[in-house]
Amino acid sequence: VEEVRGLGVVGEQPVIAPGHSYAYASGCPLGAPSGSMVGAYTLADAQGRSFEVAIPAFSLDVPDSRRVLN
């Protein structure tokens, strides 16, 4: 288990206007052929009020390796 905390996403702190979205690509070292990731982002609205958005669990798999469902 590894916990990641920090300001921003891949070094950015985007401002997302209503009706718009933000996408990014990232990676992580994986010491096994498969794993999973889950978490949350803490965001702030236009008035500076913070709120948390859950990130549902998703799988991490090394490309071209045998996949194991946990």
Side-chain angles (χ1 to χ4, degrees):
V1 174
E2 184 173 336
E3 184 174 327
V4 178
R5 290 181 177 266
L7 297 176
V9 174
V10 293
E12 298 180 18
Q13 292 181 334
V15 174
I16 306 168
H20 290 83
S21 63
Y22 176 78
Y24 70 96
S26 185
C28 71
L30 192 59
S34 65
S36 63
M37 195 174 282
V38 65
Y41 286 125
T42 301
L43 306 174
D45 66 14
Q47 288 74 42
R49 298 175 296 215
S50 64
F51 59 98
E52 195 168 271
V53 176
I55 301 169
F58 59 93
S59 67
L60 300 170
D61 300 296
V62 173
D64 303 321
S65 70
R66 184 174 154 256
R67 300 218 161 108
V68 178
L69 299 177
N70 297 320

